[in-house]
């Protein structure tokens, strides 16, 4: 594949400054240029690039031969159009295990140690000790991790390190280190039924869309917490709100939502038993450096006629 010019789309600035990539990729034997989807000359500037690194999808990207998504999830990219246009798409899976793993055990510890309640009380200058039976410890509790890829692995390593027992769900029914039992998606309700934490770490696909529905909430323990670091639409949002309002589950930590930013009118903002984070579970100051290493390796491989890293389609 011809790869002489690589465009860094300004949309990557949602996650890190584009200058980080331009600087880290300076050493490559190709020209790297900043392109801007919002400017009038966007399609021109995109057209002169053989490859583009981007956060957003827009149709003019299909003029390139290769597009790299700075996110792991490519649910916003029309894969069929990429195939039709013969444009290779790669993603950034593999980068997020540490950050997401730490975020997820952060949520677990916040719920168990009631840290979210203490922070809310502090804002009100309220000295309020929890009831004697409110705080608990996560050691010895069970987590069910749905999706055991790079995110799921990051969660399993940390959860087991903190003394949790872990089950997992994925389509491939082979054993996974640190995971007691692997369930396939058809046994999801059984898999979640014994868990204090149900952690979602699957890609959003036709199969996973709303996989956490009213039946799954009904199968969960009433003292269980849902943790969603995958995509909002993996959960039926109405069923979630109902489960939280009716006490079907104890609470939820949500990094991702059907509509982002989460609309001001959402009841989730007001719920004491809900932690809302703004799709920031994988944010880290090293993000741009990590993307740069994937992109640099793919550039090397593509110029050598090899497969790029994390080829999606
Ligand atoms: P990976 O591709 O590494 O892992 C995906 C895992 O999900 C695999 O274990 C896969 O196993 C499993 N899986 C796929 N389909 C199903 C299904 N139908 N039922 C059950 N399990 C399934 O992806 P990552 O771990 O890197 O990322 C996962 C998703 O998390 C991303 O697609 C993205 O949407 C989201 N994400 C969110 C972030 C955030 O900031 N909150 C950051 C990074 C990612 P198998 O194939 O055996 O089923």
């Amino acid at each position: 594949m011809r790869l002489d010019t690589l465009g860094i789309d300004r949309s990557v600035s949602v996650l890190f400054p584009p200058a980080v990539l331009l600087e880290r990729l300076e050493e490559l034997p190709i020209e790297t240029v900043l392109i801007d989807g919002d400017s009038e000359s966007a399609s021109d500037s995109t057209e002169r690039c053989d490859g583009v690194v981007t956060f957003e999808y827009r149709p003019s990207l299909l003029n390139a031969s290769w597009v790299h998504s700075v996110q792991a999830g490519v649910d916003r990219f029309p894969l069929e159009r990429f195939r039709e246009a013969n444009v290779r798409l790669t993603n950034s899976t593999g980068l997020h295990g540490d950050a997401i793993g730490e975020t997820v055990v952060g949520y677990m510890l916040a719920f168990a140690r009631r840290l979210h309640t203490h922070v809310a009380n502090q804002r009100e200058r309220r000295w309020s000790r929890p009831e004697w039976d409110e705080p608990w410890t996560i050691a010895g509790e069970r987590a069910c991790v749905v999706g055991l890829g790079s995110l799921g692995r990051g969660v399993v390593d940390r959860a087991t390190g903190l003394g949790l027992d872990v089950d997992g769900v994925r389509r491939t029914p082979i054993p996974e280190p640190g995971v007691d039992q692997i369930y396939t998606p058809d046994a999801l309700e059984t898999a979640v039924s014994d868990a204090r934490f149900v952690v979602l770490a699957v890609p959003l696909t036709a199969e996973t869309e709303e996989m956490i529905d009213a039946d799954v909430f009904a199968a969960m323990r009433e003292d269980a917490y849902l943790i969603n670091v995958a995509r909002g639409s993996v959960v039926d949002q109405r069923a979630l709100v109902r489960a939280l309002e009716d006490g079907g589950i104890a609470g939820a930590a949500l990094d991702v939502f059907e509509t982002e930013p989460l609309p001001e009118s959402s009841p989730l903002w007001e719920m004491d038993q809900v932690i809302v984070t703004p799709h920031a579970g994988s944010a880290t100051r090293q993000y741009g450096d990590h993307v740069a290493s994937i992109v640099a390796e793919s550039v090397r491989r593509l110029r050598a006629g090899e497969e790029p890293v994390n080829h999606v389609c």
Side-chain angles (χ1 to χ4, degrees):
M1 189 188 111
R2 184 196 159 102
L3 184 48
D4 295 330
T5 310
L6 181 69
I8 309 299
D9 192 81
R10 209 181 279 281
S11 64
V12 304
S13 60
V14 173
L15 299 179
F16 53 86
V20 172
L21 271 191
L22 289 166
E23 197 182 299
R24 300 289 187 281
L25 298 175
E26 231 169 34
E27 309 279 286
L28 292 179
I30 59 172
E31 189 190 358
T32 45
V33 292
L34 184 64
I35 57 174
D36 190 342
D38 290 332
S39 85
E40 282 186 9
S41 60
S43 65
D44 293 343
S45 57
T46 307
E47 265 161 29
R48 60 182 282 256
C49 298
D50 307 309
V52 176
V53 180
T54 186
F55 174 83
E56 266 169 19
Y57 168 75
R58 58 174 189 281
S60 62
L61 294 179
L62 297 173
N63 294 316
S65 307
W66 165 49
V67 173
H68 179 80
S69 157
V70 292
Q71 289 188 294
V74 286
D75 40 280
R76 290 179 294 115
F77 289 74
L79 304 189
E80 211 37 58
R81 287 211 205 147
F82 275 76
R83 287 192 194 100
E84 276 161 23
N86 205 18
V87 180
R88 284 184 211 213
L89 177 66
T90 54
N91 71 8
S92 298
T93 194
L95 304 185
H96 312 94
D98 287 348
I100 286 283
E102 291 186 14
T103 299
V104 168
V105 296
Y107 296 139
M108 291 175 171
L109 291 166
F111 284 130
R113 308 306 309 141
R114 317 311 291 165
L115 301 181
H116 61 310
T117 313
H118 295 320
V119 171
N121 285 335
Q122 181 188 346
R123 288 220 186 84
E124 307 289 322
R125 297 176 175 265
R126 195 166 49 222
W127 182 271
S128 171
R129 286 177 56 81
E131 290 299 320
W132 69 272
D133 58 351
E134 271 182 59
W136 41 288
T137 59
I138 62 175
E141 295 288 350
R142 182 166 293 279
C144 175
V145 181
V146 184
L148 292 167
S150 58
L151 260 59
R153 196 61 250 167
V155 174
V156 172
D157 289 343
R158 285 158 185 84
T160 51
L162 288 169
L164 281 105
D165 299 316
V166 179
D167 290 330
V169 179
R170 69 170 171 210
R171 291 166 304 179
T172 318
I174 54 169
E176 178 75 25
V179 180
D180 295 338
Q181 195 155 349
I182 300 277
Y183 295 87
T184 45
D186 54 309
L188 181 60
E189 289 170 29
T190 312
V192 300
S193 62
D194 192 28
R196 194 76 194 264
F197 297 106
V198 175
V199 183
L200 307 181
V202 280
L204 174 61
T205 64
E207 280 174 65
T208 62
E209 187 169 2
E210 298 199 352
M211 80 191 291
I212 308 298
D213 58 13
D215 292 340
V216 176
F217 285 118
M220 284 171 66
R221 288 165 44 170
E222 286 189 358
D223 63 355
Y225 291 82
L226 180 77
I227 296 177
N228 189 4
V229 286
R231 285 290 181 266
S233 301
V234 170
V235 178
D236 175 343
Q237 304 282 307
R238 275 196 270 181
L240 167 65
V241 169
R242 258 199 313 274
L244 288 163
E245 282 174 349
D246 300 350
I249 61 171
L254 308 167
D255 189 46
V256 286
F257 303 87
E258 209 168 51
T259 306
E260 294 181 7
L262 180 64
E264 252 186 78
S265 59
S266 170
L268 296 168
W269 286 114
E270 296 290 324
M271 293 183 178
D272 293 340
Q273 74 278 40
V274 173
I275 296 176
V276 168
T277 53
H279 201 147
S282 66
T284 154
R285 62 172 65 173
Q286 286 101 27
Y287 202 109
D289 290 343
H290 294 159
V291 170
S293 27
I294 293 193
V295 171
E297 176 60 12
S298 283
V299 168
R300 187 197 67 71
R301 291 192 195 178
L302 285 165
R303 283 170 63 92
E306 299 166 14
E307 278 294 291
V309 180
N310 292 344
H311 191 188
V312 177
C313 71

